[in-house]
Amino acid sequence: MTASPPSGSPPSPPLNGSRRRGGISAVGLAQPTDLKIRSTTAPVSAEAPPTREAVLSLLLRHGEATAADLAGRLSVSVQAMRRHLRGLEDMGLVEASPTPEGPGRPSNRWRLTTAGHQRFPNGSEHFALGLLHSLAGAMPPDALRLLLNQQAVEKAGDYRRRIGNGSLAERLERLVELRRQEGFVAECQPDPEQGGAWVISEFHCSVIRIAEQFPMLCDQELALISHTFPDCRIERVHWRLEKGHSCGFRLSPAGAAP
């Protein structure tokens, strides 16, 4: 398979946090956020107030800060800053931990989450594409597929350790949360057509631009889900590169009737 690298820098995919809904019918649903990048140190959301953009940049530069620290730097009231921080927390971009600072109630010190750090652009996509082009030119396609499958096996092992034990619904919920942290916009719902089965839908894929040039990455994703849930039968039910607006995988317990 040969393909020319894309010209120019592709835009960073929209990344965001998610808030869990009640019940298990919509697990780990993440809402997309449109991003407009102005510079490598100032992420800009078309809908986010400028103050929140500045808060993200300050936390990136300083690591941690209290609401009072941030309010003083941005010349707003502490009450207003706390509202901004709670809004960013709801988006999954910041988190806080209480820290004793003398007598009285401990102060919350705020920091970026993984999703918050991912709001800032990086060159990893260019590096991954360049590496795959080099590998594709240096080895047969079957050898490259074998290499990608090995990577899927290793990542699935990490997923299983982090997901732990529990019912299929509980493990799927944890997987969707892990995928969200990696930049996917995903949800998991019971399959309406097959009792006992579940469908993972991914509406935004953090590696879509790489997969467009190397569709074998999609086979790796299928293998990744299969190795993560060895007690289930896995099949692809949607494929964004073929048609539609999402990728989807059906997971059926191995003992269930097909």
Side-chain angles (χ1 to χ4, degrees):
M1 181 184 304
T2 59
S4 299
S7 60
S9 298
S12 298
L15 304 176
N16 58 284
S18 64
R19 303 183 67 181
R20 295 182 182 175
R21 296 182 177 183
I24 196 66
S25 61
V27 181
L29 179 62
Q31 300 295 336
T33 302
D34 294 329
L35 299 183
K36 176 183 176 185
I37 301 300
R38 211 166 34 196
S39 75
T40 58
T41 58
V44 180
S45 167
E47 299 179 357
T51 300
R52 294 188 182 182
E53 300 161 9
V55 168
L56 294 177
S57 292
L58 282 172
L59 290 177
L60 179 71
R61 293 173 182 273
H62 297 282
E64 291 185 341
T66 65
D69 293 336
L70 295 167
R73 290 178 180 274
L74 297 178
S75 300
V76 300
S77 70
V78 176
Q79 291 79 8
M81 178 55 62
R82 287 186 179 130
R83 288 195 297 270
H84 286 303
L85 288 166
R86 294 302 178 190
L88 291 169
E89 184 180 39
D90 289 343
M91 296 169 66
L93 300 179
V94 301
E95 60 187 2
S97 59
T99 303
E101 294 186 357
R105 295 175 58 187
S107 298
N108 278 333
R109 296 194 67 83
W110 294 86
R111 68 185 66 84
L112 295 178
T113 62
T114 299
H117 278 284
Q118 290 174 343
R119 290 284 289 255
F120 295 85
N122 62 63
S124 60
E125 187 173 283
H126 280 309
F127 175 81
L129 270 174
L131 179 61
L132 282 172
H133 277 292
S134 297
L135 290 173
M139 61 176 60
D142 287 345
L144 182 55
R145 288 191 183 92
L146 183 63
L147 181 64
L148 290 173
N149 186 68
Q150 180 60 35
Q151 196 273 342
V153 170
E154 293 174 0
K155 186 171 183 179
D158 179 61
Y159 273 167
R160 289 196 304 272
R161 286 189 294 272
R162 298 172 70 183
I163 289 170
N165 299 321
S167 67
L168 178 57
E170 291 169 337
R171 287 180 288 143
L172 283 169
E173 180 177 8
R174 295 175 198 138
L175 174 68
V176 168
E177 175 63 18
L178 290 175
R179 301 288 276 179
R180 181 193 66 78
Q181 294 173 13
E182 294 174 358
F184 292 81
V185 176
E187 69 177 38
C188 184
Q189 297 180 334
D191 186 353
E193 300 178 358
Q194 185 174 320
W198 293 78
V199 173
I200 296 176
S201 298
E202 296 181 338
F203 302 97
H204 170 74
C205 172
S206 64
V207 295
I208 183 61
R209 292 177 184 84
I210 302 174
E212 287 171 350
Q213 296 190 46
F214 293 91
M216 65 179 66
L217 253 65
C218 298
D219 296 332
Q220 182 203 32
E221 288 292 293
L222 183 60
L224 173 62
I225 302 298
S226 297
H227 290 301
T228 303
F229 295 92
D231 56 335
C232 294
R233 297 190 308 273
I234 315 295
E235 57 184 316
R236 180 183 284 122
V237 291
H238 305 294
W239 191 19
R240 186 174 172 183
L241 292 186
E242 188 174 81
K243 64 178 181 178
H245 65 289
S246 67
C247 292
F249 305 95
R250 178 185 289 120
L251 295 88
S252 306

